[in-house]
Amino acid sequence: MDKFEMTDTMKASPSNNGNPTPTDMSMEIEQTSRAYPIWIDKQRAVNSNSRPYGWCVSEDLASNDESPKGLLFVKVHKCSSSTGAGVTLRIQDGLSKRLNQPNQNQTADAHGTCFANYDHATARELRFEKRDHSQSFLWSIVREPAQRTLSHYFYFDVSSRNDTATEDGIMTVLKFPTHPRPWHPQHNYQSKYLDLPSQNEQSSSSTERIINGYDFLGVSERMEESLVVLAMLAQIPLTDVVIFSSKVAGGYGYALGHKGCVKLEKKWTTPKIDEYILGDYHKANKDDYLLYNAAQRSLDKTID
């Protein structure tokens, strides 16, 4: 795992000059993470009549209600979001077709298409904290925070806008996330994007709300493992989560503001940038590092 970071709720250890020890940090990761339950098992613990695919609802039902329903994917910029959206669409298509197959009496169930959300919008904007847990499956993907920020810069600024990547430019993005361009990242970008606000926000961290509020969080650097676990939790065949890589750095792909494909520049760093990331960047993004490592540990626990 990458270097752990202290959160606001972590107590400093007097045995380490007031700084958190590796044991302190590991304990918080362990306490915050969890093994994700299979969706239907979790629902039947509350209601024994729950259906295996209760989250597969029609668009009419999903869109005409104050409680979001359906297969819900929070698409975080530069967190394998295009891959995750593609998987969400494959699950939607595959399950819709299977549920509409003729039954033993050779009559179609006329279930319709399962509603799926895969927009670039925050969980707060989509009101996912109000979702109907018995009729929704909420998931997303997280990524190592510094790698996500660098990928964000190289995609939006360098590849899309044809800016020249410089050490000063990269350091500016890492140090000063408040930027006039609205797509630029903020500190703790993923935590803010995925957070599920509650009336008791002061009594829990954003990481706790995310880990406990989502049905699954995948890890970008462990995509194959993540998708196998997703299929297990959602009780769908592995063929629904077959992926093809998209927007691979060094290749060609779609970029904002361009009619055709453009060269997607590979990200790079320097010793100065690496030193900053390992020091001040980690400190400024401690919530994202806690979330990332808690998601990693949750994936491990679920596999075990």
Side-chain angles (χ1 to χ4, degrees):
M1 285 191 181
D2 291 84
K3 180 181 177 182
F4 294 140
E5 280 301 316
M6 181 177 69
T7 67
D8 293 334
T9 59
M10 184 182 293
K11 294 181 179 180
S13 172
S15 63
N16 193 36
N17 297 320
N19 296 314
T21 66
T23 299
D24 293 331
M25 292 182 276
S26 296
M27 285 179 61
E28 184 168 11
I29 298 299
E30 193 66 26
Q31 292 169 359
T32 307
S33 59
R34 70 181 179 115
Y36 295 103
I38 292 175
W39 187 89
I40 186 58
D41 290 346
K42 180 179 68 174
Q43 299 306 317
R44 283 179 175 164
V46 178
N47 180 0
S48 60
N49 295 319
S50 294
R51 298 181 295 112
Y53 303 111
W55 46 266
C56 180
V57 300
S58 68
E59 183 173 359
D60 288 342
L61 181 61
S63 60
N64 294 328
D65 197 284
E66 286 301 310
S67 300
K69 299 177 176 66
L71 179 58
L72 311 175
F73 176 69
V74 182
K75 192 178 180 185
V76 185
H77 292 280
K78 309 317 296 175
C79 286
S80 302
S81 59
S82 294
T83 298
V87 168
T88 299
L89 284 168
R90 284 184 63 86
I91 295 172
Q92 175 194 42
D93 181 65
L95 184 57
S96 297
K97 288 179 178 177
R98 289 191 295 276
L99 292 179
N100 281 287
Q101 288 294 315
N103 58 26
Q104 292 181 346
N105 297 322
Q106 299 302 304
T107 58
D109 291 336
H111 185 282
T113 300
C114 302
F115 174 76
N117 180 89
Y118 45 91
D119 294 332
H120 270 310
T122 68
R124 186 184 296 262
E125 291 169 332
L126 296 167
R127 301 179 297 107
F128 282 169
E129 75 279 3
K130 297 181 179 180
R131 72 184 177 104
D132 184 336
H133 289 255
S134 68
Q135 292 186 287
S136 63
F137 188 100
L138 176 61
W139 79 290
S140 190
I141 302 170
V142 297
R143 184 178 182 182
E144 197 283 328
Q147 292 303 310
R148 196 215 68 81
T149 299
L150 291 170
S151 182
H152 201 126
Y153 169 74
F154 274 86
Y155 177 74
F156 285 104
D157 285 74
V158 179
S159 298
S160 296
R161 295 177 56 87
N162 295 319
D163 288 355
T164 299
T166 65
E167 183 181 69
D168 287 343
I170 296 171
M171 288 293 289
T172 297
V173 171
L174 293 171
K175 286 183 176 182
F176 308 109
T178 302
H179 196 282
R181 295 174 188 167
W183 58 79
H184 261 255
Q186 302 173 353
H187 286 323
N188 298 304
Y189 182 88
Q190 296 175 76
S191 297
K192 293 174 181 176
Y193 210 100
L194 295 170
D195 195 12
L196 300 169
S198 71
Q199 294 180 344
N200 300 314
E201 287 191 35
Q202 300 303 317
S203 62
S204 63
S205 68
S206 61
T207 297
E208 291 174 310
R209 292 192 294 274
I210 295 167
I211 293 293
N212 293 318
Y214 282 67
D215 293 300
F216 180 60
L217 280 183
V219 177
S220 180
E221 290 82 359
R222 301 171 63 183
M223 185 59 72
E224 289 79 10
E225 294 171 83
S226 295
L227 293 180
V228 171
V229 170
L230 172 65
M232 177 189 73
L233 298 179
Q235 295 289 277
I236 54 175
L238 290 175
T239 51
D240 282 359
V241 296
V242 173
I243 61 171
F244 297 94
S245 298
S246 63
K247 298 180 183 176
V248 178
Y252 289 82
Y254 167 78
L256 294 174
H258 295 267
K259 293 183 178 180
C261 293
V262 300
K263 179 70 176 293
L264 301 178
E265 299 296 331
K266 291 184 177 180
K267 59 184 182 295
W268 51 263
T269 63
T270 64
K272 178 181 177 181
I273 294 171
D274 293 337
E275 181 180 3
Y276 180 78
I277 288 173
L278 290 174
D280 290 346
Y281 180 87
H282 270 69
K283 293 177 182 178
N285 291 274
K286 57 183 180 293
D287 290 346
D288 268 11
Y289 277 99
L290 175 59
L291 174 63
Y292 175 70
N293 286 298
Q296 290 242 44
R297 184 68 185 117
S298 295
L299 182 58
D300 291 337
K301 289 181 177 181
T302 307
I303 293 172
D304 293 341

